[in-house]
């Protein structure tokens, strides 16, 4: 057994529902891998043998169109899981995973997850709850891309970084560089720049590289959330 | 026990995994309700006591922004389920359900679904597979709204109605009126009209009310699917 693995797994609620026996087996077969920036962990529709936990760095999940454009599905960091839903998709990955900066991931055997979930209803319920939460977030994302304009979509992204504080002034730091934020929001970098400038005209905020100060959270809420079916603080995060 | 209920349930794969005992209880407590066009079955965040199967008509699922704009989540017809994921969301509905034309639905007790799923791993696995499939469709929808232009999004909607035929010429019928198709695709009616006209310039097709003839499916595939990470026939439908 590997103490780094045990430590990683212990931090994640999902694993509290595994039987001790399976956890032990998972730990024995777990491995830690290092991925330099740009490294592909797997490609969309590859045969899936493992699921993963990010230990450090950032992992981008995406699919690619025939003409080579990336459609970003998610960008994950420490303690987030990926690849686990492959067990419901004929054991193939439903997206490509790429390290967007030097990253360390824990790689775990998918067959053990599958057999555990087939026999453990508590774990199945936990996984379904998490899938239902994700479904609501995706509904929200579809809505955002349709009903919010580009500055409002940036506003929404920023509000989600405030940890739902209702303080007047909040300092936040973009989790990754602006180009990546743009693609996470489904925007071209130029659109993102223009939209960020527009947002700065609409509300009082200071942007310095990745550091952002929002002078009055309620002002941003008012600008952003009127075009949303959810109210701040956002209930799809829970 | 009600024979109409038994008949409805038998048609849906999902119910094959229920225990006979629970099925019997569900049937005893099932009821059939009629909803005239415009009727609300429930509202987003209402307390959820039932889940539903559409028997006939069309049910629109949506959320509403503070300024009153609808964000359509799905439009369902015969044999499709809704409201079932409420069991993972504190027993509240995650959307509003409205009959978009006169509709008949079967209403089933949510508590029985919940207790069955907590004890029946086969059913849980089936539900998770269905949620994973839905997740992939949502990823695709997010991608569509970002990378496809409006005529391509209409093209994608039409291709999904061809039942994935690869014949040269295909006749299809829009499942509901154009205004509803527009909102399903997240477009204003005017945008939809303009985009449909543009599509008619790009590929050979005839539109007469809700009836559409596509002269050459491959031509539509070529126009639409180059901006997509999926290839026709679409694997997210399976």
């Amino acid at each position: 057994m590997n103490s780094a693995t045990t430590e990683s797994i212990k931090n994640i609620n999902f694993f509290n529902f595994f039987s001790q026996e399976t956890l032990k087996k998972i730990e024995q077969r777990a491995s830690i891998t290092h991925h330099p920036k740009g490294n592909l962990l797997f490609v969309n529709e590859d045969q899936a043998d493992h699921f993963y936990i990010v230990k450090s760095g950032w992992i981008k999940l995406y699919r690619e169109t025939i003409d080579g454009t990336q459609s970003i599905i998610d960008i994950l960091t420490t303690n987030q899981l990926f690849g686990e839903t492959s067990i419901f998709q004929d054991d193939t990955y439903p997206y490509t995973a790429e390290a967007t900066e030097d990253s360390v991931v824990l790689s775990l055997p998918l067959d053990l997850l599958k057999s555990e979930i087939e026999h453990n209803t508590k774990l199945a319920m936990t996984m379904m709850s998490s899938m239902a939460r994700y479904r609501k977030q995706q509904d929200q994302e579809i809505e955002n891309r349709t009903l919010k304009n580009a500055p409002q979509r940036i506003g929404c992204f920023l509000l989600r970084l405030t940890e739902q504080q209702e303080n007047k002034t909040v300092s936040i730091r973009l989790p990754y560089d602006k180009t990546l934020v743009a693609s996470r929001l489904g925007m071209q970098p130029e659109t993102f720049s223009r939209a960020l400038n527009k947002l700065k005209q609409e509300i009082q905020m200071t942007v310095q590289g990745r550091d952002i100060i929002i002078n009055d959270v309620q002002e941003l809420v008012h600008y952003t959330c009127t075009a949303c079916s959810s109210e701040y603080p956002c209930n799809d995060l829970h």
Side-chain angles (χ1 to χ4, degrees), chain A:
Chain A
M1 204 181 313
N2 176 321
S3 70
T5 307
T6 313
E7 198 49 48
S8 299
I9 286 181
K10 259 195 354 206
N11 288 331
I12 300 176
N13 185 40
F14 184 62
F15 291 96
N16 292 338
F17 300 93
F18 281 68
S19 69
Q20 284 307 313
E21 193 194 337
T22 303
L23 267 189
K24 218 173 187 167
K25 285 191 203 159
I26 286 184
E27 285 170 343
Q28 280 161 353
R29 288 175 49 199
S31 62
I32 285 177
T33 51
H34 295 252
H35 300 272
K37 181 175 175 167
N39 192 240
L40 295 182
L41 283 81
F42 54 78
V43 172
N44 183 21
E45 297 188 1
D46 270 1
Q47 183 65 30
D49 299 314
H50 294 87
F51 67 112
Y52 302 87
I53 301 169
V54 186
K55 284 190 62 69
S56 66
W58 289 92
I59 302 293
K60 176 170 74 168
L61 310 181
Y62 65 95
R63 279 199 284 266
E64 226 166 5
T65 65
I66 294 174
D67 57 18
T69 312
Q70 287 184 6
S71 169
I72 309 283
I73 290 167
D74 217 340
I75 296 171
L76 307 177
T77 190
T78 310
N79 286 344
Q80 291 188 282
L81 246 77
F82 60 103
E84 79 285 9
T85 54
S86 313
I87 58 173
F88 308 112
Q89 305 191 307
D90 300 326
D91 294 330
T92 60
Y93 293 113
Y95 38 65
T96 297
E98 178 185 327
T100 62
E101 55 180 70
D102 294 352
S103 301
V104 178
V105 306
L106 187 64
S107 138
L108 306 168
L110 205 55
D111 58 340
L112 290 178
L113 171 62
K114 196 171 186 173
S115 62
E116 179 74 12
I117 221 163
E118 279 171 351
H119 299 99
N120 179 337
T121 47
K122 280 237 168 71
L123 178 63
M125 289 299 285
T126 307
M127 188 137 175
M128 277 187 277
S129 295
S130 136
M131 288 169 90
R133 200 164 47 245
Y134 190 78
R135 181 169 172 159
K136 207 168 170 188
Q137 287 168 5
Q138 280 184 308
D139 284 342
Q140 189 60 59
E141 186 65 34
I142 293 170
E143 181 189 311
N144 283 356
R145 301 221 177 174
T146 310
L147 301 182
K148 287 197 178 85
N149 61 32
Q152 285 170 329
R153 271 153 64 196
I154 296 176
C156 180
F157 186 82
L158 299 181
L159 285 172
R160 283 158 189 267
L161 295 174
T162 63
E163 294 175 350
Q164 313 282 296
Q165 289 177 48
E166 309 211 39
N167 300 353
K168 198 164 158 52
T169 302
V170 174
S171 299
I172 50 181
R173 190 174 162 75
L174 295 179
Y176 28 79
D177 68 47
K178 285 180 192 155
T179 317
L180 204 52
V181 175
S183 59
R184 175 70 186 82
L185 296 174
M187 294 178 203
Q188 295 299 321
E190 315 82 64
T191 312
F192 180 83
S193 291
R194 276 198 306 272
L196 187 60
N197 282 331
K198 173 88 169 66
L199 186 62
K200 281 192 282 190
Q201 288 160 22
E202 294 288 339
I203 67 148
Q204 295 171 63
M205 62 187 282
T206 320
V207 180
Q208 198 140 39
R210 277 165 55 182
D211 292 304
I212 295 178
I213 298 170
I214 298 161
N215 289 26
D216 181 353
V217 169
Q218 283 311 316
E219 193 186 25
L220 181 56
V221 167
H222 184 259
Y223 178 73
T224 301
C225 307
T226 42
C228 191
S229 67
S230 187
E231 276 175 56
Y232 186 84
C234 303
N235 62 17
D236 66 342
L237 296 178
H238 308 313

